[in-house]
Amino acid sequence: MEDKGFLSNAVKGVELNRRSFLKWNAALGGAAALATGGLTASQMALKAAAAGAETVVPTSCAHNCGGRCRILVHVQDGVIKRLTTDDRPDTLEDPQLRACQRGRSYRQRVYHTDRLKYPLKRVGKRGDGQYERISWDEAIATVAEAMQRIKDEYGPEAFINHYASGADGMQGAGTSSRLLNLFGGALNEYGSYSAACWEYMLPRVLGTFTTANSRDDWKNSKLIVMFGYNPMEMVGGTNTMYYLKQAKQAGAKVIVIDPRQSMTAVWADEWIPIHPGTDVALIAALAYVMISEGLHDQEFLDTYTSGFDDAHLPEGIPNGNSYKSYVMGDQDDQPKTPEWAEAITGVSRERIVRLARELALTKPAAIYQGWGGQRRAYGEQFVHAGITLAAMTGNIGISGGSAGTGGMTSRYLPTGSLGVPNPIKLAISTFTWTDAIVRGTEMGAADGVEGLADGQETLPYNIKFIYNNAGNALINQHGDINKTKEILADDSLVEFIVTHEQFMTPSAKFSDIILPATTWMETESMTTSWVMGDTVYYMNKVIEPLFECKPDFEICALIADQLGLGDQYRDGKETHEDWIREWTAGLKDVDPTFDFDTFKANGVHVVLYDKPAIGLSEFRADPEANALSTPSGKIEIFCQAKWAADDPVEIPAVASYIPEWEGPQSDLVAQYPLQIQGHHFHARSHSTYDNIEWLRESMPQRLFMNPVDADARGIEDGDKVRIFNDRGEVIIPVRVTKRIMPGVLDLPQGAWYDPDENGIDRAGCINVLTSHHPTPFAKGTSQHTNLVEVEKA
């Protein structure tokens, strides 16, 4: 009761801020904030606290939301009163870094009554959610003892620092990675839930991740075609929509290809609906039109690519294996005509022909892929096809163009991290961790295991110890929740799970020890732009830690002390600022104006450039002197790494359309006729913020369904519906809307799994319905490939 009273006092004035919040959500705009003056934020806070006056502390969001924005926290008497956002001068060259509705709601998160307050030990069956309060001393000793026992019995290969993206800098998974690596290492992971196929294919086709033009170049495009890209909602780097609007104002036409009429599609010049998982068929038909009408850029293809046609296949590869041969049907007698693609994609043959001509004849044009399309059954083909299309139109390596997919720019900001080398070289794909629990000792190269020593065929141990630090992928964000629950509930498989968390998430409930972590407002840290951007943020400590919560770094340091590794873990540094000062020491090499004290006082530093970065421009200028790090030294339209996999059915060497294992052409469609996917929702950053009432109220969790499908089932807008397949059931209200294609459903991802007494999820967590089936080449997630049926509940 005392705790709730304290929290109630802390959130006085909530009604006023709630109204303001709803207004923010509608406008995505912001109010001005107070300036920090000449003192550092910490000095100001101390001075103001002494006087009982309000002070403003600059910090930043640091979740994996697609944006990292400047937050100004108004504090009085050690209590957060309200949040505002960036108040620096707003210029074309350096636009304000304004927080969205998620960041502006953070006060509710800090003072949420469900915050974990004390260390907890499991006392019931794993997953039942029964815990008792213990002291920090007991918690730290229990974790350290389990680490030592499992290392002694199995070895460090039985440990995994579980995938987690809920925090950054001095918080989150980097802190436990440092601990485990100093302790002897852990099984590595490659890829991610976000972009496994993208990460796997770019080095193999383009030889680099730095393939993208910076966003300030988009205004030089005359046509921008985006496959499933939705920055209006998921942000995609702070101010991405600002740069897209600049491009549109400069005359660029923007086309969005997506099964949903997303917020970005509403804003764009044109929305082209397409059946999920068929983008590669559309691209093949676009290629067919260009080849048939002689519109493709043959000179670019001859100079910069390998394997477009039989004359440019790598040495030893038989004719008939080029992309042109695939498109023209030389091997399968099926030319990839617009008529062929219309039946698969749902895009009319006339629109396919028109789009092919627009793309081929408009110079320069940028093709940009969102990551959702590669989180499907054959996500590797999606990435490869986008690059192939950009090459056919000759738009790679020039201003206004693109490499046909997402990518990093060469504007790399040299900042440090807590990382230390992992002595263990073995690695699995991130998505296959449940497989490594059940049959790790059977998993070898064919299962995606990397780093096997000569003569070693499989992993030496199954996973026995999981360190879950600021992550919800143990249950909520992984595929097939019901199957995952069975695996984790059996504590003879994984023998120990420790979690750092702020709330009792669905994943935390499967932990043996839960350690209450601070939010980023209760500690000091730093972060950088999310993929797109040129910004570093100093995250000043705003308030003292609540209850018995501790920063992730401090928790891991205490465990390191128990293991005799404390000095190595701290590396001679006494404060978080010491670390941040070291991490940012190299920024002066990029930007001589960088000054650490100013950075800390302002909470932000933006590196400004006098011209855009153009991805692969050096290769474009001189492909021999600047050959790519691929086997051919060129863009691999014929991918030799895929060819070496020797699986032409599921891993063809050129980008090919393959019907999905759960799609309209599968046998399963007779039982489960509807495709379902889960897009990134503007109310959440993955699963973070799902428990924030303001966000739930303004953006409720619902199933999105076309009226054609709803009418056929007697379903009306607002009804509760039952969504089900062989893997599970969800009951949730429905939103009937024409903004999604018939035959396709959308259930926004990230809702916290909440089963009733019958095991039916009542929160709308899509991963009750998804699978553990990895993609064939990258072994990445295919969580967007699912078939279900729906009926009125």
Side-chain angles (χ1 to χ4, degrees):
M1 293 297 292
E2 287 182 4
D3 295 339
K4 291 188 177 183
F6 166 78
L7 293 164
S8 299
N9 291 333
V11 295
K12 282 179 180 177
V14 67
E15 291 301 322
L16 174 63
N17 285 311
R18 175 179 171 275
R19 287 196 295 272
S20 299
F21 170 81
L22 294 173
K23 182 179 177 181
W24 292 334
N25 185 35
L28 294 180
L34 300 178
T36 58
L39 300 176
T40 67
S42 298
Q43 290 170 327
M44 286 191 64
L46 290 171
K47 183 176 179 181
E54 180 181 274
T55 188
V56 179
V57 183
T59 183
S60 164
C61 300
H63 296 302
N64 188 18
C65 67
R68 301 278 167 78
C69 307
R70 190 169 184 244
I71 301 280
L72 301 174
V73 188
H74 299 244
V75 186
Q76 188 172 20
D77 295 327
V79 175
I80 299 168
K81 307 299 289 185
R82 62 192 178 102
L83 308 182
T84 54
T85 191
D86 198 2
D87 62 344
R88 298 173 306 125
D90 194 22
T91 67
L92 291 173
E93 297 75 21
D94 183 15
Q96 290 179 340
L97 304 158
R98 300 175 191 160
C100 72
Q101 67 276 8
R102 294 179 290 239
R104 296 187 190 211
S105 72
Y106 208 83
R107 184 165 162 265
Q108 272 209 347
R109 182 176 169 85
V110 173
Y111 293 127
H112 201 293
T113 53
D114 292 340
R115 280 284 299 273
L116 293 174
K117 303 172 179 64
Y118 319 105
L120 299 172
K121 180 173 73 175
R122 175 171 67 88
V123 295
K125 180 177 169 53
R126 190 185 280 164
D128 284 352
Q130 299 176 47
Y131 289 89
E132 67 178 14
R133 178 181 176 180
I134 59 175
S135 68
W136 270 106
D137 287 345
E138 181 180 352
I140 295 298
T142 302
V143 175
E145 289 168 6
M147 289 177 66
Q148 193 64 60
R149 176 182 62 79
I150 291 174
K151 181 183 176 184
D152 291 344
E153 187 168 349
Y154 302 102
E157 296 90 345
F159 288 70
I160 195 162
N161 190 43
H162 203 264
Y163 181 91
S165 62
D168 195 29
M170 296 296 293
Q171 291 278 89
T175 62
S176 45
S177 174
R178 179 179 181 83
L179 173 66
L180 291 178
N181 289 348
L182 290 173
F183 186 58
L187 184 62
N188 290 288
E189 293 178 300
Y190 63 85
S192 66
Y193 283 88
S194 295
C197 290
W198 177 84
E199 294 169 54
Y200 207 73
M201 290 302 297
L202 256 63
R204 289 162 174 80
V205 176
L206 295 172
T208 177
F209 287 110
T210 54
T211 63
N213 294 11
S214 56
R215 296 174 299 173
D216 50 343
D217 181 62
W218 290 356
K219 61 180 179 294
N220 297 317
S221 298
K222 294 182 178 176
L223 173 66
I224 298 175
V225 178
M226 303 194 296
F227 288 82
Y229 188 45
N230 183 24
M232 182 78 82
E233 195 162 2
M234 56 74 67
V235 182
T238 306
N239 284 328
T240 288
M241 280 307 302
Y242 165 77
Y243 291 107
L244 279 172
K245 289 175 182 176
Q246 278 193 329
K248 199 171 176 183
Q249 288 171 359
K253 179 179 181 180
V254 180
I255 298 173
V256 173
I257 301 170
D258 197 311
R260 296 187 312 120
Q261 190 182 27
S262 65
M263 290 184 179
T264 307
V266 171
W267 166 85
D269 294 293
E270 185 178 358
W271 169 46
I272 299 178
I274 186 170
H275 291 308
T278 66
D279 303 76
V280 180
L282 172 63
I283 290 172
L286 296 174
Y288 179 90
V289 174
M290 292 180 194
I291 294 169
S292 300
E293 299 185 6
L295 300 177
H296 58 295
D297 192 333
Q298 188 67 51
E299 182 179 353
F300 181 90
L301 293 166
D302 290 347
T303 306
Y304 298 97
T305 73
S306 171
F308 170 72
D309 52 32
D310 287 353
H312 295 86
L313 284 168
E315 186 177 350
I317 303 299
N319 285 343
N321 286 289
S322 66
Y323 186 68
K324 184 177 179 181
S325 293
Y326 163 73
V327 169
M328 304 311 288
D330 293 347
Q331 284 202 344
D332 61 2
D333 294 326
Q334 176 56 70
K336 310 306 179 291
T337 63
E339 293 77 10
W340 168 82
E342 180 184 64
I344 296 169
T345 64
V347 182
S348 73
R349 64 194 70 185
E350 294 81 9
R351 187 65 191 95
I352 292 173
V353 171
R354 197 162 76 247
L355 181 59
R357 292 170 180 167
E358 284 180 288
L359 267 169
L361 298 174
T362 307
K363 304 285 185 177
I367 299 162
Y368 202 91
Q369 294 179 320
W371 287 347
Q374 52 92 62
R375 291 193 286 265
R376 304 196 63 88
Y378 298 101
E380 301 93 349
Q381 305 304 315
F382 174 76
V383 178
H384 201 184
I387 298 168
T388 301
L389 183 61
M392 288 187 67
T393 58
N395 278 300
I396 298 177
I398 60 173
S399 176
S402 79
T405 183
M408 313 291 284
T409 76
S410 57
R411 290 178 175 177
Y412 173 72
L413 298 182
T415 56
S417 72
L418 290 169
V420 292
N422 184 352
I424 304 301
K425 302 306 175 190
L426 290 167
I428 60 171
S429 164
T430 291
F431 189 62
T432 62
W433 64 273
T434 38
D435 215 14
I437 292 172
V438 176
R439 60 174 202 94
T441 55
E442 302 170 15
M443 291 176 65
D447 302 293
V449 176
E450 297 183 349
L452 291 164
D454 290 343
Q456 183 181 12
E457 296 186 353
T458 66
L459 296 174
Y461 307 107
N462 296 342
I463 292 174
K464 294 293 181 182
F465 186 106
I466 294 178
Y467 210 120
N468 180 42
N469 188 343
N472 200 8
L474 272 184
I475 290 290
N476 211 79
Q477 299 304 98
H478 191 52
D480 197 345
I481 282 178
N482 286 317
K483 183 177 178 180
T484 306
K485 282 172 58 179
E486 288 184 15
I487 294 170
L488 293 181
D490 184 350
D491 55 15
S492 72
L493 296 176
V494 179
E495 296 183 10
F496 196 86
I497 301 174
V498 56
T499 289
H500 296 201
E501 252 303 346
Q502 295 151 3
F503 298 96
M504 185 64 80
T505 65
S507 293
K509 288 179 181 175
F510 280 78
S511 307
D512 299 302
I513 294 288
I514 302 174
L515 305 175
T518 57
T519 67
W520 40 261
M521 288 196 179
E522 298 155 71
T523 187
E524 198 165 32
S525 188
M526 71 159 283
T527 191
T528 61
S529 303
W530 187 93
V531 182
M532 294 282 198
D534 309 299
T535 308
V536 288
Y537 298 91
Y538 197 105
M539 303 172 68
N540 288 285
K541 181 178 178 180
V542 178
I543 58 173
E544 292 301 317
L546 299 178
F547 313 106
E548 290 188 12
C549 297
K550 293 182 183 293
D552 293 323
F553 182 88
E554 308 304 329
I555 295 171
C556 288
L558 290 172
I559 298 171
D561 287 338
Q562 285 279 317
L563 297 169
L565 299 167
D567 290 343
Q568 290 173 262
Y569 190 84
R570 294 181 180 84
D571 195 31
K573 300 178 182 64
E574 297 182 355
T575 66
H576 290 198
E577 181 178 328
D578 291 341
W579 285 97
I580 299 168
R581 191 177 289 276
E582 179 179 282
W583 291 350
T584 55
L587 283 175
K588 265 193 170 300
D589 297 335
V590 176
D591 183 356
T593 71
F594 177 81
D595 174 73
F596 184 84
D597 291 336
T598 305
F599 168 50
K600 182 176 179 181
N602 292 336
V604 66
H605 181 84
V606 180
V607 179
L608 300 176
Y609 296 87
D610 56 5
K611 61 181 181 180
I614 308 300
L616 301 172
S617 58
E618 294 180 350
F619 170 68
R620 182 68 182 255
D622 189 339
E624 293 186 4
N626 303 299
L628 300 179
S629 297
T630 59
S632 64
K634 298 183 176 182
I635 299 167
E636 297 230 333
I637 290 179
F638 178 95
C639 177
Q640 297 186 54
K642 290 169 74 180
W643 176 264
D646 195 24
D647 183 0
V649 175
E650 289 206 303
I651 313 175
V654 297
S656 306
Y657 169 68
I658 308 170
E660 296 184 332
W661 50 73
E662 287 193 28
Q665 298 175 50
S666 74
D667 294 338
L668 198 60
V669 76
Q671 186 178 2
Y672 300 119
L674 300 170
Q675 292 180 277
I676 190 169
Q677 61 182 25
H679 81 282
H680 285 42
F681 196 36
H682 53 324
R684 295 184 287 267
S685 165
H686 298 288
S687 69
T688 304
Y689 295 106
D690 185 56
N691 59 339
I692 303 303
E693 291 301 323
W694 286 349
L695 297 171
R696 285 190 171 193
E697 180 182 351
S698 59
M699 294 160 279
Q701 178 75 351
R702 295 172 293 186
L703 175 73
F704 292 88
M705 185 178 203
N706 187 278
V708 171
D709 300 316
D711 292 345
R713 293 163 175 78
I715 294 170
E716 296 183 357
D717 186 52
D719 284 347
K720 281 194 172 182
V721 294
R722 173 175 173 256
I723 319 163
F724 59 98
N725 60 19
D726 288 344
R727 293 181 287 269
E729 298 181 28
V730 175
I731 292 180
I732 193 82
V734 65
R735 173 75 173 123
V736 178
T737 173
K738 293 181 179 178
R739 289 177 57 178
I740 191 166
M741 289 187 74
V744 183
L745 306 171
D746 181 77
L747 186 61
Q749 68 103 2
W752 286 9
Y753 170 65
D754 184 18
D756 63 16
E757 63 277 10
N758 298 313
I760 300 172
D761 174 57
R762 297 282 179 162
C765 182
I766 191 171
N767 286 317
V768 171
L769 306 164
T770 61
S771 80
H772 284 181
H773 196 152
T775 64
F777 193 39
K779 308 299 180 187
T781 177
S782 64
Q783 285 165 276
H784 285 334
T785 294
N786 314 285
L787 287 174
V788 298
E789 179 56 292
V790 175
E791 62 185 24
K792 194 169 180 178

